[in-house]
Amino acid sequence: QVQLVESGGGVVQPGRSLRLSCAASGFTFSSYGMHWVRQAPGKGLEWVAVIWYDGTNKYYADSVKGRFTISRDNSKNTLYLQMNSLRAEDTAVYYCARDQSRQYMDVWGKGTTVIVPS
Amino acid sequence: DIPMTQSPSSLSASVGDRVTITCRASQSISTYLNWYQHKPGKAPKLLIYAASSLQSGVPSRFSGSGSGTDFTLTINSLQPEDFATYFCQQTYSTPTWTFGQGTKVEIK
């Protein structure tokens, strides 16, 4: 079935880096744009980044611009989020989600947790 | 960015109740509005897209309405599995997206 599985979360010190992965299965990964969305403790959902189906375009939320990089490997059906210069406010559950024509996100993973101690 | 304001932030309801959640955009977003359901530890689930279109597999007790700046998610005859947090999302300002702050539906 259609599935997204995130991995790579953990506890990381401020200023350090972490790379998240999202493994896709059950659909033609290379045909879809993909998003990262996060939820900080006690907060709502925050869109983080999007990458077009072929990797040609990438967009970021202002809160992560210049620090995070979204990428994908269509040969491995995998989406990535490289997070550098991490801050306490980046502590959150990070979800990957499939894009439908830039109109909605129709498939989501269960998330991976990133903790950056203050 | 287009801020989205949901109300209420939480509500208590009983099984069988009709529940209404509202979402307001800071400017007109036509019908570029989606609703998601989120339970702790689970993947968020798309319920409604384009303001009123029911996602495949979602029970018909869920419905959405509205256009411009004001939108509504209605759950008719609340079921035990509907206790969750609901988020609206605007996709008018593609390629950036914003969510409402969420509405937690709790058991009365």
Side-chain angles (χ1 to χ4, degrees):
Chain A
Q1 75 278 24
V2 175
Q3 193 172 10
L4 298 171
V5 179
E6 303 90 340
S7 61
V11 179
V12 58
Q13 293 302 308
R16 303 298 293 267
S17 300
L18 200 63
R19 188 177 83 158
L20 306 183
S21 299
C22 168
S25 59
F27 65 99
T28 305
F29 180 70
S30 60
S31 296
Y32 291 88
M34 296 294 297
H35 298 265
W36 286 100
V37 177
R38 68 185 180 182
Q39 185 175 32
K43 303 289 187 181
L45 296 172
E46 178 189 17
W47 172 78
V48 172
V50 64
I51 185 168
W52 267 209
Y53 70 99
D54 57 359
T56 54
N57 288 293
K58 307 173 185 181
Y59 298 93
Y60 300 90
D62 287 344
S63 57
V64 306
K65 201 172 295 182
R67 300 187 300 122
F68 289 12
T69 301
I70 189 171
S71 63
R72 64 191 298 157
D73 186 335
N74 285 345
S75 69
K76 295 182 178 179
N77 292 338
T78 303
L79 174 73
Y80 302 101
L81 185 67
Q82 177 68 42
M83 305 185 295
N84 298 331
S85 302
L86 281 161
R87 306 167 179 168
E89 53 264 37
D90 297 319
T91 293
V93 178
Y94 285 74
Y95 301 93
C96 60
R98 187 175 78 172
D99 178 84
Q100 275 290 357
S101 304
R102 284 165 254 164
Q103 296 309 306
Y104 53 90
M105 302 168 186
D106 67 338
V107 180
W108 294 65
K110 291 184 178 180
T112 187
T113 300
V114 173
I115 298 173
V116 186
S118 55
Chain B
D1 281 4
I2 300 177
M4 305 298 293
T5 304
Q6 275 183 247
S7 61
S9 56
S10 65
L11 64 90
S12 296
S14 301
V15 172
D17 284 353
R18 183 185 189 197
V19 169
T20 299
I21 298 168
T22 64
C23 183
R24 174 166 289 175
S26 60
Q27 66 182 72
S28 177
I29 57 170
S30 183
T31 57
Y32 293 91
L33 191 285
N34 309 312
W35 291 98
Y36 299 86
Q37 177 193 66
H38 192 202
K39 298 179 181 179
K42 303 286 190 180
K45 178 183 178 181
L46 175 69
L47 300 175
I48 302 286
Y49 62 94
S52 60
S53 295
L54 191 67
Q55 171 69 350
S56 175
V58 174
S60 59
R61 62 180 179 273
F62 291 93
S63 64
S65 64
S67 67
T69 59
D70 294 309
F71 301 87
T72 299
L73 173 70
T74 300
I75 311 172
N76 283 303
S77 188
L78 196 69
Q79 297 301 298
E81 61 268 29
D82 300 337
F83 293 97
T85 300
Y86 294 85
F87 293 94
C88 62
Q89 176 203 36
Q90 67 81 21
T91 56
Y92 180 83
S93 64
T94 298
T96 62
W97 290 257
T98 49
F99 293 88
Q101 78 275 23
T103 296
K104 187 173 185 179
V105 177
E106 299 175 300
I107 302 173
K108 183 183 284 185

